[in-house]
Amino acid sequence: MITLYGFGPAMGLPEISPFVTKAHILLQMAGLPYKTDLNGFFKAPKGKLPYISGDGETVADSTFIRDHIEKKHGFDFDRGLSPTEKATGWALERMCEEHLYWLMIEVRWLDDANFNAGPAKIFETLPAPMRPLIKTYVRRTYRKTLKLQGIGRHGEAEKLELGRRDLAAISDVLADKPFLFGEEPHGADASVGAFVIGVLAKGIATPLRDAGASRPNLLAYSERITKRYFPAFAA
């Protein structure tokens, strides 16, 4: 049995981390039985979640989890796609995971109300005396990281414009299709779908969420992905 290590539900989401959400979807796409463990962070091989373990193997990082599933279990997440579609999927994944992610971090972790509604719950398993110190340390680290990454150097209107462009790109590729490349989901839907679900989380209020919710096809896509892979959280 495969074990997937994640953070758990928060903000009305089945999983607070879009990367762990992606791993959930990948495992279900491949039809692999698995269980979840929410206590693996301090044993994470790369100091981050998700990672999976099973059959004496441990694989960290959602992209390498996908590679592992393809190689070990022979599942092709890109079956039937053209080279152009595969390239488009990869580009959208990288946009979500290396750009949109940091915009989400900024609104979730640096806004006090949003932090208390979501990320703060990650620390509830820690001993009470340690929580305030670790929360402060992690939030300060994210603030510095966002400055180094570049997102943190922009004004609020500029950050929102960057987010709108990311969401517009997803919306335009999706168009009126159920999934990015047609009637059935592929590997890119695991990542892109996870991020769209995350942006549209109902547990926080941000202009970025409003920008996503203003696009009907993204709302429908989020609901479709949620219903298919996380039915307990479907509206």
Side-chain angles (χ1 to χ4, degrees):
M1 172 71 76
I2 295 170
T3 299
L4 169 61
Y5 296 87
F7 293 105
M11 303 185 302
L13 296 169
E15 163 61 51
I16 191 171
S17 163
F19 295 100
V20 180
T21 304
K22 172 187 172 183
H24 275 284
I25 296 173
L26 289 169
L27 288 165
Q28 291 184 53
M29 276 187 183
L32 298 175
Y34 69 98
K35 62 182 180 179
T36 58
D37 188 319
L38 307 183
N39 298 299
F41 180 78
F42 292 105
K43 298 179 288 184
K46 295 183 179 180
K48 299 173 71 175
L49 299 177
Y51 66 99
I52 61 171
S53 64
D55 297 325
E57 297 177 280
T58 298
V59 182
D61 189 280
S62 61
T63 297
F64 294 117
I65 289 171
R66 170 178 168 166
D67 291 348
H68 174 77
I69 292 171
E70 291 182 322
K71 292 171 183 174
K72 184 175 181 65
H73 299 280
F75 188 84
D76 183 3
F77 288 101
D78 285 340
R79 64 196 180 283
L81 297 185
S82 69
T84 298
E85 288 171 326
K86 292 178 184 179
T88 300
W90 177 253
L92 287 176
E93 285 192 61
R94 299 276 58 79
M95 180 190 73
C96 288
E97 297 184 10
E98 306 295 342
H99 188 258
L100 184 58
Y101 170 69
W102 293 108
L103 293 167
M104 291 170 65
I105 286 291
E106 199 269 344
V107 299
R108 286 185 179 188
W109 286 79
L110 302 189
D111 179 277
D112 289 341
N114 290 335
F115 175 76
N116 290 328
K121 299 182 185 303
I122 292 173
F123 302 91
E124 289 179 354
T125 59
L126 297 175
M130 297 173 58
R131 288 178 206 162
L133 294 174
I134 295 178
K135 285 180 185 178
T136 299
Y137 171 77
V138 173
R139 294 183 78 190
R140 186 182 297 127
T141 299
Y142 268 132
R143 190 178 297 277
K144 290 179 179 178
T145 301
L146 284 162
K147 199 74 175 284
L148 290 170
Q149 192 273 344
I151 292 293
R153 299 174 187 268
H154 302 313
E156 294 304 313
E158 293 170 321
K159 286 181 283 194
L160 179 57
E161 178 58 23
L162 291 174
R164 282 177 175 156
R165 292 186 184 186
D166 288 349
L167 294 168
I170 299 168
S171 178
D172 288 346
V173 171
L174 181 63
D176 60 356
K177 303 185 297 296
F179 299 99
L180 290 172
F181 302 113
E183 295 297 318
E184 292 298 321
H186 292 80
D189 289 289
S191 179
V192 177
F195 274 86
V196 171
I197 289 171
V199 166
L200 293 172
K202 296 177 181 178
I204 60 174
T206 72
L208 183 63
R209 185 191 186 282
D210 294 340
S214 71
R215 294 181 173 271
N217 68 338
L218 293 186
L219 280 172
Y221 181 58
S222 173
E223 292 170 0
R224 198 173 295 121
I225 292 281
T226 302
K227 184 176 181 179
R228 186 167 185 137
Y229 298 106
F230 308 100
F233 289 84

